[in-house]
Amino acid sequence: MTVELELTNEEKVAKEYFLNMFTALHKPCDVGTGANLETRLPPWFDAVKFKRGQQFYSDNRFGILQASFCSLLMLMADPKGLHILEHTGKSSTTEAARKRYVSTLVHMTDWYESELAPGSKSWKSLSLVRRMHLSASNSASNRNIGFINQMEMALTSFGFMGFPLIRPHLLGIRYDNREDREAFVHLWAVLGFMLGIEDQYNICLHRLEVFKRGQQFYSENRSGIQQASFCSLLVLLADPKGLRISEHTGMSGTTEAARRRYASTLVHMTDWYESELAPGSRSWKSLSRVRRMHLSVSNSASKRNLGFINQSEIALTSFGFMGFPLVRPHLLGIRYDNREDREAFVHLWAVLGFMLGVEDQYNMCLYRLEVVEVICQMLLRYIFLPSLQLETPLFRQMVITIVDAFADYMPFTSYESVMFLTRRLVGVPGYQYMVDMEKEQICRRLLSMQELDGVLQYMETRDGYRQAIEIDKVRLYHVKDLNSPSLNAINQNFLTSIESIGGPYTEKSNNELSIEELRQNSSKKHLRELLGLKQNQELVVTLIENDSEWSTYLNDDKLKQLSERDQMYVKITIQSLNWCYSTIGRFVNEWALSFILYRIKQLRGK
């Protein structure tokens, strides 16, 4: 009778790697000649963590070098490896061995002490060592000794980092800081990659498990993450340029077209979350297809002078999927008490972003968790909070089309109700129904005037966004009819007060206005045109002077402006998300979501 072993998650992952490592016996360390080898950083390279790993070496040099010497002797216990060493002729005499291992020591210290960048000592050293390995492997293979395989490369990496990691107490190495040790492992994951170790055999690269943990985080919080994704769609549509490109595709112009388009988007997204990410898998094919579609749409839009889809917009789209689950989980019924789960979710989107074409320098998910959270908060304050308040006619038309498209699956929804839920999620004042006010904090001012001016130069062509941003104040927008009695009274009082101070008010001519006043007038005019305001409508702007004043504007007054039916829908939706924190509530929500997803997938299959 076979007894099934009870293993921890860590033991399961280690066991999976150990068994997989033996498949590397038939994979050479590299193929071809040294001339065709490409030296590059891995897509998951973390410069901060890499440097911290180098610092760990610097703080523990004596012990790490002692471990490396012992590891050299241990690796020589492999008869095949010993034959290859003998074949090279570089260890056969005392003088040859001295030169060889002094050279090895110099290479290793370069990796530990030099900045890893193209042209640096460590970069050149890694390229040289990789070519030497390939040359020795080819030569040994030609003499029927056998090539250097991926498993041997993986075991060699253990020789450098294994003992400092698991036997530090015998080497005088400080091991009380987990992040230092993780950084040292990351350093060797990068070095292993650059020396030619494939990811699946890289002993220091546990990222696959992290990716799977990110998928598990989705599985355990599907209702909240799907709700966040739907709201994020509306947030992203608030970008006028993106909206015009979306309109240009013709895939959202009618209810039926929108239904098929966003059903397809939902199916793609669930594939990414639920399917194994490997060549040929559903998620792999889906990501490839979506990236090609983005490129096709971008090229088409560029030809029609709408502008191409840029890296900034792709990066902001990744926020749409992971931003709200990360910084507003309490409004979505998402469990957020486990840091490692949230880190894994961020890593998942770092990988997905990379595969969708986000360049590393724009991939916000490549930073550590705390940094990603601050980035998301900045995006909310400086971009999404103002832009979501600016409803253009095209935006309203597009959102209504989307709402109508999903009416069969999400009955009782309306434009007004989904906008309320979305603005509540973003944190727009007036939408704080059933929220913890202590968590309704806005990101403090983090940009200087000079830095913001630089940002605004890039945003010149992004209609609406440039006008919405304010350096040290947050703007709240509200459209009012000028024939409103209350507003007429305000206007009359305002005019009276002006006349009492210095006579009737006379508007300045353009020649009398300062450059800043001209720019403000131009922005106001542009916003009026963008929002399609009528002659009897005025855009009222409230400036919040500081962060402490922010809390005075937080309330749920906007809920009362909804119809009774919409109020009921909003309350039920919010309550159902809160139920996710209970076992029964989670079960009910998961059942309902599974049914909706099943119906949507059926639609896509038609």
Side-chain angles (χ1 to χ4, degrees):
M1 179 178 178
T2 303
V3 179
E4 186 174 347
L5 298 175
E6 292 186 6
L7 304 178
T8 65
N9 288 334
E10 290 77 11
E11 288 170 334
K12 289 177 182 177
V13 176
K15 176 181 175 180
E16 183 180 349
Y17 171 83
F18 183 82
L19 295 175
N20 182 59
M21 185 169 61
F22 289 91
T23 67
L25 286 169
H26 303 290
K27 286 196 172 185
C29 63
D30 271 311
V31 293
T33 64
N36 63 3
L37 291 181
E38 178 190 8
T39 303
R40 63 185 180 90
L41 291 172
W44 34 263
F45 174 70
D46 185 329
V48 174
K49 189 175 286 188
F50 187 88
K51 288 181 179 178
R52 185 166 184 168
Q54 289 180 313
Q55 185 61 43
F56 180 77
Y57 160 78
S58 180
D59 294 339
N60 299 279
R61 281 198 305 174
F62 185 83
I64 290 175
L65 291 177
Q66 175 68 23
S68 299
F69 179 76
C70 293
S71 296
L72 171 64
L73 307 185
M74 179 187 69
L75 293 170
M76 283 184 176
D78 171 23
K80 178 194 165 188
L82 203 53
H83 282 315
I84 293 178
L85 278 176
E86 182 185 26
H87 161 67
T88 64
K90 294 183 178 180
S91 304
S92 55
T93 67
T94 303
E95 184 59 28
R98 181 186 296 117
K99 287 183 178 180
R100 183 207 171 108
Y101 295 109
V102 165
S103 175
T104 299
L105 181 63
V106 171
H107 281 301
M108 187 173 63
T109 53
D110 281 344
W111 305 343
Y112 279 134
E113 297 174 0
S114 169
E115 180 185 7
L116 186 59
S120 67
K121 284 195 300 185
S122 60
W123 192 277
K124 293 176 181 177
S125 168
L126 288 162
S127 300
L128 176 61
V129 170
R130 186 173 179 183
R131 289 196 300 272
M132 288 193 299
H133 284 170
L134 177 57
S135 176
S137 178
N138 289 339
S139 179
S141 180
N142 292 336
R143 297 201 178 189
N144 295 321
I145 298 175
F147 53 73
I148 301 174
N149 59 52
Q150 284 284 321
M151 179 176 177
E152 289 159 340
M153 293 292 292
L155 291 177
T156 301
S157 72
F158 169 89
F160 288 100
M161 48 66 60
F163 289 133
L165 195 64
I166 62 175
R167 308 285 275 178
H169 52 288
L170 299 181
L171 296 163
I173 293 175
R174 297 176 182 175
Y175 56 97
D176 55 345
N177 190 309
R178 175 189 174 91
E179 291 184 350
D180 284 344
R181 296 165 70 216
E182 286 182 338
F184 187 66
V185 170
H186 177 72
L187 179 145
W188 273 103
V190 174
L191 296 178
F193 174 90
M194 296 191 70
L195 288 170
I197 301 177
E198 296 178 13
D199 284 359
Q200 61 177 316
Y201 305 119
N202 194 329
I203 193 172
C204 297
L205 194 61
H206 63 287
R207 310 297 278 184
L208 178 61
E209 177 59 24
V210 178
F211 185 90
K212 290 180 178 178
R213 185 166 185 167
Q215 290 180 313
Q216 183 63 31
F217 180 76
Y218 161 77
S219 179
E220 294 171 355
N221 297 280
R222 282 201 312 170
S223 297
I225 291 176
Q226 290 288 3
Q227 175 69 23
S229 298
F230 182 75
C231 291
S232 296
L233 169 63
L234 309 190
V235 170
L236 295 170
L237 286 176
D239 169 22
K241 177 194 165 188
L243 198 55
R244 287 198 301 271
I245 292 178
S246 182
E247 181 189 32
H248 157 68
T249 65
M251 294 182 180
S252 306
T254 67
T255 300
E256 184 58 30
R259 181 184 294 120
R260 291 191 175 276
R261 182 209 172 124
Y262 295 109
S264 176
T265 299
L266 185 60
V267 172
H268 280 301
M269 187 174 65
T270 52
D271 281 344
W272 305 343
Y273 280 134
E274 297 174 0
S275 171
E276 179 185 6
L277 184 60
S281 67
R282 288 205 321 268
S283 60
W284 192 278
K285 293 177 181 177
S286 168
L287 288 161
S288 300
R289 183 180 178 188
V290 169
R291 186 171 181 179
R292 288 195 302 270
M293 288 192 298
H294 285 170
L295 178 59
S296 175
V297 170
S298 179
N299 290 338
S300 177
S302 182
K303 290 177 182 177
R304 298 201 178 190
N305 295 321
L306 296 176
F308 55 79
I309 300 174
N310 56 49
Q311 283 288 316
S312 173
E313 288 155 345
I314 292 290
L316 290 177
T317 301
S318 69
F319 167 90
F321 289 101
M322 49 65 61
F324 290 127
L326 194 64
V327 298
R328 306 285 277 173
H330 53 286
L331 299 182
L332 296 162
I334 293 174
R335 297 176 181 176
Y336 55 99
D337 55 346
N338 189 309
R339 175 192 171 87
E340 291 184 348
D341 284 345
R342 297 165 71 221
E343 286 180 331
F345 188 66
V346 170
H347 172 71
L348 180 146
W349 274 103
V351 174
L352 295 179
F354 173 82
M355 296 197 67
L356 288 170
V358 182
E359 296 177 11
D360 285 357
Q361 61 179 314
Y362 305 114
N363 193 332
M364 69 183 77
C365 296
L366 287 177
Y367 296 91
R368 60 190 180 90
L369 178 63
E370 289 79 8
V371 176
V372 178
E373 288 176 331
V374 174
I375 291 172
C376 290
Q377 295 287 5
M378 290 181 70
L379 291 176
L380 282 177
R381 169 174 177 155
Y382 287 105
I383 295 182
F384 297 124
L385 179 64
S387 66
L388 195 62
Q389 300 178 67
L390 302 174
E391 291 183 42
T392 67
L394 181 58
F395 172 81
R396 186 180 181 90
Q397 173 192 331
M398 189 71 74
V399 174
I400 289 175
T401 302
I402 294 171
V403 170
D404 291 343
F406 286 97
D408 291 343
Y409 315 106
M410 296 183 290
F412 312 116
T413 57
S414 68
Y415 172 82
E416 289 75 15
S417 62
V418 297
M419 287 303 297
F420 183 95
L421 291 170
T422 303
R423 286 172 173 153
R424 174 179 180 266
L425 191 57
V426 171
V428 178
Y431 295 84
Q432 281 67 45
Y433 173 72
M434 284 188 69
V435 301
D436 183 349
M437 290 297 186
E438 292 184 359
K439 294 179 180 178
E440 290 297 291
Q441 302 294 326
I442 191 169
C443 173
R444 66 188 182 90
R445 173 185 169 184
L446 295 176
L447 298 178
S448 67
M449 182 67 77
Q450 184 179 7
E451 289 168 333
L452 188 70
D453 283 341
V455 171
L456 293 179
Q457 293 303 316
Y458 287 107
M459 300 178 74
E460 193 77 54
T461 59
R462 296 174 68 87
D463 299 345
Y465 278 5
R466 179 181 175 87
Q467 290 79 7
I469 291 182
E470 185 77 11
I471 179 62
D472 57 352
K473 305 177 184 68
V474 178
R475 294 185 182 187
L476 302 182
Y477 296 93
H478 180 61
V479 176
K480 279 194 174 183
D481 293 333
L482 292 179
N483 57 6
S484 166
S486 59
L487 191 59
N488 282 336
I490 293 173
N491 289 339
Q492 187 59 47
N493 291 337
F494 178 67
L495 291 173
T496 302
S497 64
I498 291 178
E499 289 181 358
S500 64
I501 293 173
Y505 171 74
T506 304
E507 186 175 355
K508 294 181 182 180
S509 67
N510 284 344
N511 292 332
E512 298 176 286
L513 295 175
S514 66
I515 294 177
E516 182 60 28
E517 288 174 324
L518 284 171
R519 190 168 78 169
Q520 288 180 0
N521 284 349
S522 175
S523 295
K524 290 177 183 177
K525 180 181 178 182
H526 190 80
L527 274 177
R528 285 191 62 86
E529 294 173 354
L530 185 68
L531 300 178
L533 297 185
K534 301 175 183 177
Q535 288 293 329
N536 65 334
Q537 290 181 315
E538 184 64 37
L539 183 64
V540 180
V541 182
T542 302
L543 296 180
I544 300 179
E545 296 291 337
N546 52 58
D547 298 344
S548 60
E549 187 184 352
W550 170 258
S551 60
T552 63
Y553 290 90
L554 303 181
N555 54 65
D556 60 0
D557 288 351
K558 298 294 184 181
L559 181 68
K560 302 167 188 174
Q561 298 177 15
L562 299 179
S563 66
E564 290 186 7
R565 171 177 163 167
D566 286 342
Q567 286 188 41
M568 183 63 66
Y569 175 79
V570 166
K571 291 177 180 179
I572 291 175
T573 301
I574 292 172
Q575 188 60 57
S576 67
L577 289 171
N578 290 336
W579 284 342
C580 286
Y581 291 118
S582 70
T583 303
I584 296 177
R586 181 175 294 274
F587 173 79
V588 172
N589 282 337
E590 283 297 310
W591 179 87
L593 180 60
S594 295
F595 177 73
I596 292 172
L597 292 176
Y598 171 75
R599 290 284 310 278
I600 290 175
K601 288 180 179 180
Q602 274 192 321
L603 164 70
R604 187 171 183 253
K606 289 181 180 179

